[in-house]
Amino acid sequence: MSKRTERERQAIQGPVDTTQIQKRADSGWRMVAVEWEREVDAEAPVREEPPFGMRLEPETASLELNPNEWQALILMMDMTVQEGPYWTIAEELNRRGYRTRNGDPWTPISVFQMLPRLIELGPRIFATDEWKKRRQQLHHAGD
């Protein structure tokens, strides 16, 4: 018999009741995430995660390339240009050991969700020497 994962989101209105957590665990549930929120001043700076392919340099607080994510983006762009379907791109990313920022395997949906980032980075990627070499290799392979 095959099994599937059942998920349920539960809003918390007050202090966490550990007996409720234990009851859920005893009935086969396991906690997989905790989401925290708090109110802050409207003028407080908004903390945003750096875009995929970049990371925050702790010492200078400046953005720099994240080499692993950048290579994943290059591969996505390369396979997108070759008109590869999303499932094939996801499989290849996973085969090469790339993961999403959350550490999850790539799926066709997560690849699709990267399209705006690829469009944004397209001119920058196409201008790199690495991309030019890839294009030359592809053209020579077709000869």
Side-chain angles (χ1 to χ4, degrees):
M1 183 165 123
S2 66
K3 293 191 176 197
R4 63 179 174 78
T5 300
E6 182 178 28
R7 291 185 175 258
E8 183 178 293
R9 185 173 185 185
Q10 181 180 9
I12 307 292
Q13 298 297 324
V16 176
D17 181 357
T18 56
T19 57
Q20 284 292 76
I21 293 173
Q22 189 59 51
K23 282 182 185 177
R24 298 285 273 186
D26 292 345
S27 65
W29 291 91
R30 69 179 185 278
M31 191 178 302
V32 294
V34 175
E35 182 175 304
W36 295 91
E37 71 177 15
R38 67 179 178 176
E39 291 188 14
V40 295
D41 291 333
E43 286 78 39
V46 177
R47 290 190 298 172
E48 289 186 33
E49 192 171 303
F52 193 83
M54 305 297 286
R55 66 180 175 203
L56 192 61
E57 168 55 48
E59 292 180 16
T60 62
S62 60
L63 287 177
E64 63 178 27
L65 280 180
N66 178 322
N68 192 51
E69 290 180 356
W70 185 254
Q71 290 304 311
L73 286 166
I74 296 282
L75 179 59
M76 276 185 247
M77 181 65 84
D78 195 19
M79 293 186 75
T80 300
V81 167
Q82 295 178 42
E83 299 182 11
Y86 300 129
W87 66 268
T88 304
I89 297 170
E91 281 184 358
E92 186 62 17
L93 286 162
N94 293 326
R95 189 186 70 75
R96 293 190 189 193
Y98 295 112
R99 294 290 179 257
T100 66
R101 185 162 281 168
N102 295 335
D104 297 325
W106 288 95
T107 65
I109 292 170
S110 59
V111 170
F112 176 79
Q113 290 170 332
M114 291 303 297
L115 286 179
R117 183 71 177 137
L118 289 174
I119 292 167
E120 176 186 356
L121 288 175
R124 185 173 177 181
I125 290 173
F126 294 147
T128 64
D129 289 337
E130 180 179 357
W131 185 263
K132 292 173 186 170
K133 288 177 188 171
R134 281 177 180 257
R135 293 293 95 201
Q136 287 174 344
Q137 290 172 353
L138 187 64
H139 289 308
H140 290 304
D143 293 342

